Amino acid sequence: MTAAAQATGRPRRSAGAFRFVQIALLAGLLWKVTFFYQATQVYQLWPLRQPFFPDWLRAAETFAAAYLVAVLSIAATIVLPTGRLRQGFSWLSLAAISLLCLHQGSYNDATFTTAWWTALWSAWLAGRLTWLSSRSAATTVGAPPAELLDERLYAQASRLAAAIVSLILLGGAVGKWTQEYWSGQALYEIYFVDRDYWLFNSLRSSSSAGGLRSIATWYSRAVVVIETACGLALWLLPPRIAAMIGVVVLTSIALASNLYLFSVLLGPIALASINFGARPAWRW
Amino acid sequence: MIQPIVKAEPDGGTDWTLRAIIALLVIVAGWLLALPLSSHVRRVAMDRYHLQSGSFVGWAIQAPVPAMYNFYNRYRLEPQPWDATPLSRPVSGTINHFPLRLYTFGDTRARLLEDPNFRMLTLRSDYRGDSIATRWVVNETADGGFELRDELLGRLIDGEPLP
């Protein structure tokens, strides 16, 4: 391929990673769509005055509108071609998710915290893709070929994604650096006592009371150690190893505790996954 | 076709958005790592969980800080004293995060607000010897709605009770 042909190439790999993450982000937000629909009805029928929140951040209409705008704008980023319009929708989705992080009826849901970081990554990448694409449409004198810039952008995107996944896991880990998690008491009471989920139902039916408590201790310690290790070191690992560990750990968290957690974890799983396509030689 | 000729920016120019995101990551990671070390950070983070931050803005800027399953959070639901009967039984338990969500989030809001047996909620979060406890009461309003009021029962940071 000549240099001129390379210069007019499109950033295919980075654009593919962008779309992949958008699909996962959308799937994460839709994972509990029935729950959110019912929640909107509850917020309409049982409005709850609370001086801490501004009125508009308690309104059911704000919650519903922000959720709809987030879903539709992410959907738009999937179907639209690279360009300023898609970049605008990407920032719009970040704004809508920001509202959901602050609304009385959704601030507590980690779905929106991880979606916020994923949307922030997406808005940045949408901008870089727009820049790279417009640059590729011109004949640029003295610049690296487009394929090289695409590789560089992919490397940046995958390392940033790994750093975000690390941060999310670190956030879960530090709050568990306390005796009640190391002893297993907290997760024993949350999950093992009466949570209706296949793993805990199975353990309750097959273990004595003392055995169940002991399993809870080792389950909890495993969670603390794995989240801590990944939170501190995942972003430092070679990309493909980081991708493998990230995907396995994040998927395991949902499978071993609560399938609803896929709403929280699909975005981070996608962010971790794009490191499978990164080439180890590239740096920031 | 004539294509425009532009002068190359060797590496695409300075990517200020990327730099800002990396700066945010570093700040948030630093904040998280300071949690077990700094009594100030612990107080702010525990106040965040109980919506006791000094201002809404002070609470809101912490939204990007991931805090899933942080602290040991226990609750007790019961009727307000004047609604209690000899048959009233408090319900207590442990919850993963942001414990006030029992009243605010999803369908539990409807179940708890409608039942006078659950209109008082006492919450306590513990972390490395520190703790915060708050009490929340639900009252019906004249227009048929509900209002939530809170009271800070106490904070214990570094072994010292704080106002």
mmCIF file with all atom_site columns, all heavy atoms in Angstrom, chain A residues 43 46 49 117 124 139 174 177 189 191, chain B residues 3-4 15 64 69 94 114 127-128 146 148:
data_model
loop_
_atom_site.group_PDB
_atom_site.id
_atom_site.type_symbol
_atom_site.label_atom_id
_atom_site.label_alt_id
_atom_site.label_comp_id
_atom_site.label_asym_id
_atom_site.label_entity_id
_atom_site.label_seq_id
_atom_site.pdbx_PDB_ins_code
_atom_site.Cartn_x
_atom_site.Cartn_y
_atom_site.Cartn_z
_atom_site.occupancy
_atom_site.B_iso_or_equiv
_atom_site.pdbx_formal_charge
_atom_site.auth_seq_id
_atom_site.auth_comp_id
_atom_site.auth_asym_id
_atom_site.auth_atom_id
_atom_site.pdbx_PDB_model_num
ATOM 1   N N   . TYR A 1 43  ? -41.852 5.876   41.282 1.00 0.00 ? 43  TYR A N   1
ATOM 2   C CA  . TYR A 1 43  ? -41.456 7.249   41.595 1.00 0.00 ? 43  TYR A CA  1
ATOM 3   C C   . TYR A 1 43  ? -42.583 8.240   41.277 1.00 0.00 ? 43  TYR A C   1
ATOM 4   O O   . TYR A 1 43  ? -42.685 9.288   41.905 1.00 0.00 ? 43  TYR A O   1
ATOM 5   C CB  . TYR A 1 43  ? -40.185 7.637   40.832 1.00 0.00 ? 43  TYR A CB  1
ATOM 6   C CG  . TYR A 1 43  ? -38.994 6.750   41.136 1.00 0.00 ? 43  TYR A CG  1
ATOM 7   C CD1 . TYR A 1 43  ? -37.906 6.685   40.282 1.00 0.00 ? 43  TYR A CD1 1
ATOM 8   C CD2 . TYR A 1 43  ? -38.964 5.947   42.280 1.00 0.00 ? 43  TYR A CD2 1
ATOM 9   C CE1 . TYR A 1 43  ? -36.813 5.871   40.558 1.00 0.00 ? 43  TYR A CE1 1
ATOM 10  C CE2 . TYR A 1 43  ? -37.892 5.124   42.548 1.00 0.00 ? 43  TYR A CE2 1
ATOM 11  C CZ  . TYR A 1 43  ? -36.817 5.075   41.682 1.00 0.00 ? 43  TYR A CZ  1
ATOM 12  O OH  . TYR A 1 43  ? -35.756 4.247   41.951 1.00 0.00 ? 43  TYR A OH  1
ATOM 13  N N   . TRP A 1 46  ? -45.377 7.271   44.160 1.00 0.00 ? 46  TRP A N   1
ATOM 14  C CA  . TRP A 1 46  ? -44.919 7.490   45.542 1.00 0.00 ? 46  TRP A CA  1
ATOM 15  C C   . TRP A 1 46  ? -43.777 8.507   45.555 1.00 0.00 ? 46  TRP A C   1
ATOM 16  O O   . TRP A 1 46  ? -42.642 8.178   45.911 1.00 0.00 ? 46  TRP A O   1
ATOM 17  C CB  . TRP A 1 46  ? -44.451 6.169   46.161 1.00 0.00 ? 46  TRP A CB  1
ATOM 18  C CG  . TRP A 1 46  ? -45.563 5.250   46.550 1.00 0.00 ? 46  TRP A CG  1
ATOM 19  C CD1 . TRP A 1 46  ? -46.252 5.244   47.731 1.00 0.00 ? 46  TRP A CD1 1
ATOM 20  C CD2 . TRP A 1 46  ? -46.106 4.194   45.756 1.00 0.00 ? 46  TRP A CD2 1
ATOM 21  N NE1 . TRP A 1 46  ? -47.205 4.242   47.716 1.00 0.00 ? 46  TRP A NE1 1
ATOM 22  C CE2 . TRP A 1 46  ? -47.141 3.580   46.522 1.00 0.00 ? 46  TRP A CE2 1
ATOM 23  C CE3 . TRP A 1 46  ? -45.837 3.709   44.474 1.00 0.00 ? 46  TRP A CE3 1
ATOM 24  C CZ2 . TRP A 1 46  ? -47.891 2.513   46.032 1.00 0.00 ? 46  TRP A CZ2 1
ATOM 25  C CZ3 . TRP A 1 46  ? -46.586 2.657   43.985 1.00 0.00 ? 46  TRP A CZ3 1
ATOM 26  C CH2 . TRP A 1 46  ? -47.599 2.071   44.761 1.00 0.00 ? 46  TRP A CH2 1
ATOM 27  N N   . ARG A 1 49  ? -40.541 13.422  49.162 1.00 0.00 ? 49  ARG A N   1
ATOM 28  C CA  . ARG A 1 49  ? -39.839 14.691  49.402 1.00 0.00 ? 49  ARG A CA  1
ATOM 29  C C   . ARG A 1 49  ? -38.658 14.432  50.317 1.00 0.00 ? 49  ARG A C   1
ATOM 30  O O   . ARG A 1 49  ? -38.773 13.735  51.321 1.00 0.00 ? 49  ARG A O   1
ATOM 31  C CB  . ARG A 1 49  ? -40.785 15.698  50.046 1.00 0.00 ? 49  ARG A CB  1
ATOM 32  C CG  . ARG A 1 49  ? -41.828 16.243  49.086 1.00 0.00 ? 49  ARG A CG  1
ATOM 33  C CD  . ARG A 1 49  ? -42.554 17.407  49.706 1.00 0.00 ? 49  ARG A CD  1
ATOM 34  N NE  . ARG A 1 49  ? -41.626 18.488  50.042 1.00 0.00 ? 49  ARG A NE  1
ATOM 35  C CZ  . ARG A 1 49  ? -41.923 19.472  50.902 1.00 0.00 ? 49  ARG A CZ  1
ATOM 36  N NH1 . ARG A 1 49  ? -43.082 19.500  51.509 1.00 0.00 ? 49  ARG A NH1 1
ATOM 37  N NH2 . ARG A 1 49  ? -41.031 20.421  51.152 1.00 0.00 ? 49  ARG A NH2 1
ATOM 38  N N   . TRP A 1 117 ? -18.224 5.989   33.633 1.00 0.00 ? 117 TRP A N   1
ATOM 39  C CA  . TRP A 1 117 ? -16.823 5.866   33.206 1.00 0.00 ? 117 TRP A CA  1
ATOM 40  C C   . TRP A 1 117 ? -16.725 5.327   31.780 1.00 0.00 ? 117 TRP A C   1
ATOM 41  O O   . TRP A 1 117 ? -15.877 5.764   30.990 1.00 0.00 ? 117 TRP A O   1
ATOM 42  C CB  . TRP A 1 117 ? -16.045 4.969   34.180 1.00 0.00 ? 117 TRP A CB  1
ATOM 43  C CG  . TRP A 1 117 ? -15.667 5.677   35.431 1.00 0.00 ? 117 TRP A CG  1
ATOM 44  C CD1 . TRP A 1 117 ? -16.280 5.581   36.658 1.00 0.00 ? 117 TRP A CD1 1
ATOM 45  C CD2 . TRP A 1 117 ? -14.602 6.626   35.608 1.00 0.00 ? 117 TRP A CD2 1
ATOM 46  N NE1 . TRP A 1 117 ? -15.667 6.405   37.561 1.00 0.00 ? 117 TRP A NE1 1
ATOM 47  C CE2 . TRP A 1 117 ? -14.622 7.056   36.958 1.00 0.00 ? 117 TRP A CE2 1
ATOM 48  C CE3 . TRP A 1 117 ? -13.635 7.156   34.757 1.00 0.00 ? 117 TRP A CE3 1
ATOM 49  C CZ2 . TRP A 1 117 ? -13.719 7.984   37.465 1.00 0.00 ? 117 TRP A CZ2 1
ATOM 50  C CZ3 . TRP A 1 117 ? -12.730 8.074   35.261 1.00 0.00 ? 117 TRP A CZ3 1
ATOM 51  C CH2 . TRP A 1 117 ? -12.776 8.486   36.599 1.00 0.00 ? 117 TRP A CH2 1
ATOM 52  N N   . TRP A 1 124 ? -14.559 10.488  24.734 1.00 0.00 ? 124 TRP A N   1
ATOM 53  C CA  . TRP A 1 124 ? -13.181 10.824  24.318 1.00 0.00 ? 124 TRP A CA  1
ATOM 54  C C   . TRP A 1 124 ? -12.839 10.139  22.996 1.00 0.00 ? 124 TRP A C   1
ATOM 55  O O   . TRP A 1 124 ? -12.352 10.773  22.054 1.00 0.00 ? 124 TRP A O   1
ATOM 56  C CB  . TRP A 1 124 ? -12.181 10.389  25.403 1.00 0.00 ? 124 TRP A CB  1
ATOM 57  C CG  . TRP A 1 124 ? -10.780 10.303  24.871 1.00 0.00 ? 124 TRP A CG  1
ATOM 58  C CD1 . TRP A 1 124 ? -9.954  11.348  24.586 1.00 0.00 ? 124 TRP A CD1 1
ATOM 59  C CD2 . TRP A 1 124 ? -10.076 9.102   24.511 1.00 0.00 ? 124 TRP A CD2 1
ATOM 60  N NE1 . TRP A 1 124 ? -8.765  10.876  24.069 1.00 0.00 ? 124 TRP A NE1 1
ATOM 61  C CE2 . TRP A 1 124 ? -8.812  9.514   24.017 1.00 0.00 ? 124 TRP A CE2 1
ATOM 62  C CE3 . TRP A 1 124 ? -10.382 7.741   24.560 1.00 0.00 ? 124 TRP A CE3 1
ATOM 63  C CZ2 . TRP A 1 124 ? -7.859  8.593   23.563 1.00 0.00 ? 124 TRP A CZ2 1
ATOM 64  C CZ3 . TRP A 1 124 ? -9.438  6.832   24.130 1.00 0.00 ? 124 TRP A CZ3 1
ATOM 65  C CH2 . TRP A 1 124 ? -8.190  7.254   23.638 1.00 0.00 ? 124 TRP A CH2 1
ATOM 66  N N   . THR A 1 139 ? -5.240  15.028  2.282  1.00 0.00 ? 139 THR A N   1
ATOM 67  C CA  . THR A 1 139 ? -3.883  14.570  2.015  1.00 0.00 ? 139 THR A CA  1
ATOM 68  C C   . THR A 1 139 ? -2.957  15.340  2.937  1.00 0.00 ? 139 THR A C   1
ATOM 69  O O   . THR A 1 139 ? -2.835  16.549  2.841  1.00 0.00 ? 139 THR A O   1
ATOM 70  C CB  . THR A 1 139 ? -3.504  14.849  0.557  1.00 0.00 ? 139 THR A CB  1
ATOM 71  O OG1 . THR A 1 139 ? -4.428  14.160  -0.268 1.00 0.00 ? 139 THR A OG1 1
ATOM 72  C CG2 . THR A 1 139 ? -2.099  14.365  0.269  1.00 0.00 ? 139 THR A CG2 1
ATOM 73  N N   . VAL A 1 174 ? -11.276 -1.096  48.184 1.00 0.00 ? 174 VAL A N   1
ATOM 74  C CA  . VAL A 1 174 ? -10.833 -0.330  49.362 1.00 0.00 ? 174 VAL A CA  1
ATOM 75  C C   . VAL A 1 174 ? -11.901 -0.288  50.451 1.00 0.00 ? 174 VAL A C   1
ATOM 76  O O   . VAL A 1 174 ? -11.576 -0.311  51.641 1.00 0.00 ? 174 VAL A O   1
ATOM 77  C CB  . VAL A 1 174 ? -10.391 1.112   48.998 1.00 0.00 ? 174 VAL A CB  1
ATOM 78  C CG1 . VAL A 1 174 ? -9.153  1.096   48.148 1.00 0.00 ? 174 VAL A CG1 1
ATOM 79  C CG2 . VAL A 1 174 ? -11.510 1.871   48.332 1.00 0.00 ? 174 VAL A CG2 1
ATOM 80  N N   . TRP A 1 177 ? -11.589 -3.205  52.796 1.00 0.00 ? 177 TRP A N   1
ATOM 81  C CA  . TRP A 1 177 ? -10.378 -3.408  53.598 1.00 0.00 ? 177 TRP A CA  1
ATOM 82  C C   . TRP A 1 177 ? -10.712 -3.172  55.067 1.00 0.00 ? 177 TRP A C   1
ATOM 83  O O   . TRP A 1 177 ? -10.195 -2.265  55.721 1.00 0.00 ? 177 TRP A O   1
ATOM 84  C CB  . TRP A 1 177 ? -9.266  -2.465  53.151 1.00 0.00 ? 177 TRP A CB  1
ATOM 85  C CG  . TRP A 1 177 ? -8.726  -2.746  51.773 1.00 0.00 ? 177 TRP A CG  1
ATOM 86  C CD1 . TRP A 1 177 ? -8.955  -3.850  51.006 1.00 0.00 ? 177 TRP A CD1 1
ATOM 87  C CD2 . TRP A 1 177 ? -7.877  -1.895  50.997 1.00 0.00 ? 177 TRP A CD2 1
ATOM 88  N NE1 . TRP A 1 177 ? -8.309  -3.740  49.797 1.00 0.00 ? 177 TRP A NE1 1
ATOM 89  C CE2 . TRP A 1 177 ? -7.632  -2.553  49.768 1.00 0.00 ? 177 TRP A CE2 1
ATOM 90  C CE3 . TRP A 1 177 ? -7.303  -0.650  51.213 1.00 0.00 ? 177 TRP A CE3 1
ATOM 91  C CZ2 . TRP A 1 177 ? -6.847  -1.991  48.770 1.00 0.00 ? 177 TRP A CZ2 1
ATOM 92  C CZ3 . TRP A 1 177 ? -6.514  -0.088  50.220 1.00 0.00 ? 177 TRP A CZ3 1
ATOM 93  C CH2 . TRP A 1 177 ? -6.282  -0.764  49.020 1.00 0.00 ? 177 TRP A CH2 1
ATOM 94  N N   . GLU A 1 189 ? -23.864 -12.165 55.736 1.00 0.00 ? 189 GLU A N   1
ATOM 95  C CA  . GLU A 1 189 ? -25.203 -11.649 56.019 1.00 0.00 ? 189 GLU A CA  1
ATOM 96  C C   . GLU A 1 189 ? -25.918 -11.169 54.749 1.00 0.00 ? 189 GLU A C   1
ATOM 97  O O   . GLU A 1 189 ? -27.133 -11.271 54.646 1.00 0.00 ? 189 GLU A O   1
ATOM 98  C CB  . GLU A 1 189 ? -25.108 -10.510 57.040 1.00 0.00 ? 189 GLU A CB  1
ATOM 99  C CG  . GLU A 1 189 ? -24.681 -11.009 58.418 1.00 0.00 ? 189 GLU A CG  1
ATOM 100 C CD  . GLU A 1 189 ? -24.355 -9.885  59.391 1.00 0.00 ? 189 GLU A CD  1
ATOM 101 O OE1 . GLU A 1 189 ? -24.580 -8.703  59.050 1.00 0.00 ? 189 GLU A OE1 1
ATOM 102 O OE2 . GLU A 1 189 ? -23.857 -10.186 60.495 1.00 0.00 ? 189 GLU A OE2 1
ATOM 103 N N   . TYR A 1 191 ? -25.357 -12.314 51.515 1.00 0.00 ? 191 TYR A N   1
ATOM 104 C CA  . TYR A 1 191 ? -25.616 -13.363 50.522 1.00 0.00 ? 191 TYR A CA  1
ATOM 105 C C   . TYR A 1 191 ? -25.959 -14.732 51.093 1.00 0.00 ? 191 TYR A C   1
ATOM 106 O O   . TYR A 1 191 ? -26.861 -15.408 50.604 1.00 0.00 ? 191 TYR A O   1
ATOM 107 C CB  . TYR A 1 191 ? -24.383 -13.539 49.627 1.00 0.00 ? 191 TYR A CB  1
ATOM 108 C CG  . TYR A 1 191 ? -24.216 -12.449 48.591 1.00 0.00 ? 191 TYR A CG  1
ATOM 109 C CD1 . TYR A 1 191 ? -22.981 -11.847 48.383 1.00 0.00 ? 191 TYR A CD1 1
ATOM 110 C CD2 . TYR A 1 191 ? -25.296 -12.037 47.815 1.00 0.00 ? 191 TYR A CD2 1
ATOM 111 C CE1 . TYR A 1 191 ? -22.821 -10.859 47.434 1.00 0.00 ? 191 TYR A CE1 1
ATOM 112 C CE2 . TYR A 1 191 ? -25.138 -11.050 46.870 1.00 0.00 ? 191 TYR A CE2 1
ATOM 113 C CZ  . TYR A 1 191 ? -23.905 -10.464 46.679 1.00 0.00 ? 191 TYR A CZ  1
ATOM 114 O OH  . TYR A 1 191 ? -23.758 -9.483  45.741 1.00 0.00 ? 191 TYR A OH  1
ATOM 115 N N   . GLN B 2 3   ? -7.961  16.695  -3.359 1.00 0.00 ? 3   GLN B N   1
ATOM 116 C CA  . GLN B 2 3   ? -8.115  16.606  -1.910 1.00 0.00 ? 3   GLN B CA  1
ATOM 117 C C   . GLN B 2 3   ? -7.404  17.771  -1.240 1.00 0.00 ? 3   GLN B C   1
ATOM 118 O O   . GLN B 2 3   ? -6.377  18.242  -1.737 1.00 0.00 ? 3   GLN B O   1
ATOM 119 C CB  . GLN B 2 3   ? -7.510  15.294  -1.393 1.00 0.00 ? 3   GLN B CB  1
ATOM 120 C CG  . GLN B 2 3   ? -8.308  14.078  -1.840 1.00 0.00 ? 3   GLN B CG  1
ATOM 121 C CD  . GLN B 2 3   ? -7.685  12.820  -1.311 1.00 0.00 ? 3   GLN B CD  1
ATOM 122 O OE1 . GLN B 2 3   ? -6.468  12.701  -1.287 1.00 0.00 ? 3   GLN B OE1 1
ATOM 123 N NE2 . GLN B 2 3   ? -8.518  11.893  -0.890 1.00 0.00 ? 3   GLN B NE2 1
ATOM 124 N N   . PRO B 2 4   ? -7.946  18.269  -0.141 1.00 0.00 ? 4   PRO B N   1
ATOM 125 C CA  . PRO B 2 4   ? -7.254  19.351  0.555  1.00 0.00 ? 4   PRO B CA  1
ATOM 126 C C   . PRO B 2 4   ? -5.919  18.861  1.100  1.00 0.00 ? 4   PRO B C   1
ATOM 127 O O   . PRO B 2 4   ? -5.777  17.695  1.483  1.00 0.00 ? 4   PRO B O   1
ATOM 128 C CB  . PRO B 2 4   ? -8.214  19.720  1.686  1.00 0.00 ? 4   PRO B CB  1
ATOM 129 C CG  . PRO B 2 4   ? -9.064  18.522  1.888  1.00 0.00 ? 4   PRO B CG  1
ATOM 130 C CD  . PRO B 2 4   ? -9.159  17.844  0.554  1.00 0.00 ? 4   PRO B CD  1
ATOM 131 N N   . ASP B 2 15  ? -3.761  16.071  23.180 1.00 0.00 ? 15  ASP B N   1
ATOM 132 C CA  . ASP B 2 15  ? -5.092  15.521  23.451 1.00 0.00 ? 15  ASP B CA  1
ATOM 133 C C   . ASP B 2 15  ? -5.472  15.902  24.880 1.00 0.00 ? 15  ASP B C   1
ATOM 134 O O   . ASP B 2 15  ? -5.260  15.147  25.831 1.00 0.00 ? 15  ASP B O   1
ATOM 135 C CB  . ASP B 2 15  ? -5.054  13.996  23.269 1.00 0.00 ? 15  ASP B CB  1
ATOM 136 C CG  . ASP B 2 15  ? -6.438  13.380  23.370 1.00 0.00 ? 15  ASP B CG  1
ATOM 137 O OD1 . ASP B 2 15  ? -7.370  14.084  23.801 1.00 0.00 ? 15  ASP B OD1 1
ATOM 138 O OD2 . ASP B 2 15  ? -6.578  12.199  23.009 1.00 0.00 ? 15  ASP B OD2 1
ATOM 139 N N   . PRO B 2 64  ? -18.401 10.151  40.616 1.00 0.00 ? 64  PRO B N   1
ATOM 140 C CA  . PRO B 2 64  ? -17.546 9.246   39.825 1.00 0.00 ? 64  PRO B CA  1
ATOM 141 C C   . PRO B 2 64  ? -16.742 8.253   40.664 1.00 0.00 ? 64  PRO B C   1
ATOM 142 O O   . PRO B 2 64  ? -16.120 7.360   40.097 1.00 0.00 ? 64  PRO B O   1
ATOM 143 C CB  . PRO B 2 64  ? -16.594 10.209  39.099 1.00 0.00 ? 64  PRO B CB  1
ATOM 144 C CG  . PRO B 2 64  ? -17.221 11.555  39.174 1.00 0.00 ? 64  PRO B CG  1
ATOM 145 C CD  . PRO B 2 64  ? -17.990 11.559  40.454 1.00 0.00 ? 64  PRO B CD  1
ATOM 146 N N   . TYR B 2 69  ? -20.247 -2.065  47.329 1.00 0.00 ? 69  TYR B N   1
ATOM 147 C CA  . TYR B 2 69  ? -20.062 -2.955  48.480 1.00 0.00 ? 69  TYR B CA  1
ATOM 148 C C   . TYR B 2 69  ? -18.984 -2.404  49.414 1.00 0.00 ? 69  TYR B C   1
ATOM 149 O O   . TYR B 2 69  ? -18.089 -3.128  49.838 1.00 0.00 ? 69  TYR B O   1
ATOM 150 C CB  . TYR B 2 69  ? -19.704 -4.377  48.018 1.00 0.00 ? 69  TYR B CB  1
ATOM 151 C CG  . TYR B 2 69  ? -20.857 -5.132  47.405 1.00 0.00 ? 69  TYR B CG  1
ATOM 152 C CD1 . TYR B 2 69  ? -21.326 -4.811  46.146 1.00 0.00 ? 69  TYR B CD1 1
ATOM 153 C CD2 . TYR B 2 69  ? -21.483 -6.169  48.079 1.00 0.00 ? 69  TYR B CD2 1
ATOM 154 C CE1 . TYR B 2 69  ? -22.387 -5.485  45.571 1.00 0.00 ? 69  TYR B CE1 1
ATOM 155 C CE2 . TYR B 2 69  ? -22.548 -6.859  47.507 1.00 0.00 ? 69  TYR B CE2 1
ATOM 156 C CZ  . TYR B 2 69  ? -22.987 -6.513  46.257 1.00 0.00 ? 69  TYR B CZ  1
ATOM 157 O OH  . TYR B 2 69  ? -24.043 -7.181  45.686 1.00 0.00 ? 69  TYR B OH  1
ATOM 158 N N   . THR B 2 94  ? -28.363 -6.610  56.743 1.00 0.00 ? 94  THR B N   1
ATOM 159 C CA  . THR B 2 94  ? -27.128 -6.025  56.222 1.00 0.00 ? 94  THR B CA  1
ATOM 160 C C   . THR B 2 94  ? -27.339 -5.727  54.744 1.00 0.00 ? 94  THR B C   1
ATOM 161 O O   . THR B 2 94  ? -27.982 -6.524  54.043 1.00 0.00 ? 94  THR B O   1
ATOM 162 C CB  . THR B 2 94  ? -25.953 -7.010  56.416 1.00 0.00 ? 94  THR B CB  1
ATOM 163 O OG1 . THR B 2 94  ? -25.876 -7.333  57.798 1.00 0.00 ? 94  THR B OG1 1
ATOM 164 C CG2 . THR B 2 94  ? -24.638 -6.421  55.969 1.00 0.00 ? 94  THR B CG2 1
ATOM 165 N N   . GLU B 2 114 ? -45.734 2.506   52.195 1.00 0.00 ? 114 GLU B N   1
ATOM 166 C CA  . GLU B 2 114 ? -47.149 2.193   52.411 1.00 0.00 ? 114 GLU B CA  1
ATOM 167 C C   . GLU B 2 114 ? -47.403 1.512   53.747 1.00 0.00 ? 114 GLU B C   1
ATOM 168 O O   . GLU B 2 114 ? -48.534 1.477   54.227 1.00 0.00 ? 114 GLU B O   1
ATOM 169 C CB  . GLU B 2 114 ? -47.659 1.291   51.278 1.00 0.00 ? 114 GLU B CB  1
ATOM 170 C CG  . GLU B 2 114 ? -47.957 2.020   49.989 1.00 0.00 ? 114 GLU B CG  1
ATOM 171 C CD  . GLU B 2 114 ? -49.082 3.032   50.155 1.00 0.00 ? 114 GLU B CD  1
ATOM 172 O OE1 . GLU B 2 114 ? -50.019 2.770   50.926 1.00 0.00 ? 114 GLU B OE1 1
ATOM 173 O OE2 . GLU B 2 114 ? -49.010 4.107   49.524 1.00 0.00 ? 114 GLU B OE2 1
ATOM 174 N N   . TYR B 2 127 ? -16.380 0.956   59.316 1.00 0.00 ? 127 TYR B N   1
ATOM 175 C CA  . TYR B 2 127 ? -15.194 0.751   58.478 1.00 0.00 ? 127 TYR B CA  1
ATOM 176 C C   . TYR B 2 127 ? -13.954 0.968   59.330 1.00 0.00 ? 127 TYR B C   1
ATOM 177 O O   . TYR B 2 127 ? -13.721 2.077   59.809 1.00 0.00 ? 127 TYR B O   1
ATOM 178 C CB  . TYR B 2 127 ? -15.202 1.727   57.294 1.00 0.00 ? 127 TYR B CB  1
ATOM 179 C CG  . TYR B 2 127 ? -14.038 1.560   56.346 1.00 0.00 ? 127 TYR B CG  1
ATOM 180 C CD1 . TYR B 2 127 ? -13.972 0.475   55.474 1.00 0.00 ? 127 TYR B CD1 1
ATOM 181 C CD2 . TYR B 2 127 ? -13.004 2.490   56.315 1.00 0.00 ? 127 TYR B CD2 1
ATOM 182 C CE1 . TYR B 2 127 ? -12.894 0.324   54.600 1.00 0.00 ? 127 TYR B CE1 1
ATOM 183 C CE2 . TYR B 2 127 ? -11.935 2.359   55.439 1.00 0.00 ? 127 TYR B CE2 1
ATOM 184 C CZ  . TYR B 2 127 ? -11.883 1.272   54.589 1.00 0.00 ? 127 TYR B CZ  1
ATOM 185 O OH  . TYR B 2 127 ? -10.831 1.125   53.721 1.00 0.00 ? 127 TYR B OH  1
ATOM 186 N N   . ARG B 2 128 ? -13.218 -0.078  59.567 1.00 0.00 ? 128 ARG B N   1
ATOM 187 C CA  . ARG B 2 128 ? -11.941 -0.003  60.291 1.00 0.00 ? 128 ARG B CA  1
ATOM 188 C C   . ARG B 2 128 ? -12.070 0.737   61.627 1.00 0.00 ? 128 ARG B C   1
ATOM 189 O O   . ARG B 2 128 ? -11.226 1.568   61.988 1.00 0.00 ? 128 ARG B O   1
ATOM 190 C CB  . ARG B 2 128 ? -10.871 0.653   59.421 1.00 0.00 ? 128 ARG B CB  1
ATOM 191 C CG  . ARG B 2 128 ? -10.646 -0.066  58.111 1.00 0.00 ? 128 ARG B CG  1
ATOM 192 C CD  . ARG B 2 128 ? -9.659  0.652   57.213 1.00 0.00 ? 128 ARG B CD  1
ATOM 193 N NE  . ARG B 2 128 ? -8.302  0.508   57.705 1.00 0.00 ? 128 ARG B NE  1
ATOM 194 C CZ  . ARG B 2 128 ? -7.485  -0.502  57.410 1.00 0.00 ? 128 ARG B CZ  1
ATOM 195 N NH1 . ARG B 2 128 ? -7.906  -1.470  56.606 1.00 0.00 ? 128 ARG B NH1 1
ATOM 196 N NH2 . ARG B 2 128 ? -6.271  -0.567  57.891 1.00 0.00 ? 128 ARG B NH2 1
ATOM 197 N N   . PHE B 2 146 ? -45.336 11.749  50.601 1.00 0.00 ? 146 PHE B N   1
ATOM 198 C CA  . PHE B 2 146 ? -44.487 11.333  51.721 1.00 0.00 ? 146 PHE B CA  1
ATOM 199 C C   . PHE B 2 146 ? -43.263 12.241  51.795 1.00 0.00 ? 146 PHE B C   1
ATOM 200 O O   . PHE B 2 146 ? -42.785 12.768  50.780 1.00 0.00 ? 146 PHE B O   1
ATOM 201 C CB  . PHE B 2 146 ? -44.026 9.886   51.539 1.00 0.00 ? 146 PHE B CB  1
ATOM 202 C CG  . PHE B 2 146 ? -45.157 8.903   51.553 1.00 0.00 ? 146 PHE B CG  1
ATOM 203 C CD1 . PHE B 2 146 ? -45.759 8.502   50.367 1.00 0.00 ? 146 PHE B CD1 1
ATOM 204 C CD2 . PHE B 2 146 ? -45.634 8.391   52.755 1.00 0.00 ? 146 PHE B CD2 1
ATOM 205 C CE1 . PHE B 2 146 ? -46.815 7.596   50.382 1.00 0.00 ? 146 PHE B CE1 1
ATOM 206 C CE2 . PHE B 2 146 ? -46.681 7.487   52.774 1.00 0.00 ? 146 PHE B CE2 1
ATOM 207 C CZ  . PHE B 2 146 ? -47.279 7.088   51.591 1.00 0.00 ? 146 PHE B CZ  1
ATOM 208 N N   . LEU B 2 148 ? -39.325 12.566  53.721 1.00 0.00 ? 148 LEU B N   1
ATOM 209 C CA  . LEU B 2 148 ? -38.275 11.843  54.429 1.00 0.00 ? 148 LEU B CA  1
ATOM 210 C C   . LEU B 2 148 ? -37.440 12.842  55.226 1.00 0.00 ? 148 LEU B C   1
ATOM 211 O O   . LEU B 2 148 ? -36.974 13.837  54.682 1.00 0.00 ? 148 LEU B O   1
ATOM 212 C CB  . LEU B 2 148 ? -37.399 11.135  53.388 1.00 0.00 ? 148 LEU B CB  1
ATOM 213 C CG  . LEU B 2 148 ? -36.397 10.079  53.829 1.00 0.00 ? 148 LEU B CG  1
ATOM 214 C CD1 . LEU B 2 148 ? -37.053 8.982   54.635 1.00 0.00 ? 148 LEU B CD1 1
ATOM 215 C CD2 . LEU B 2 148 ? -35.709 9.485   52.598 1.00 0.00 ? 148 LEU B CD2 1
#
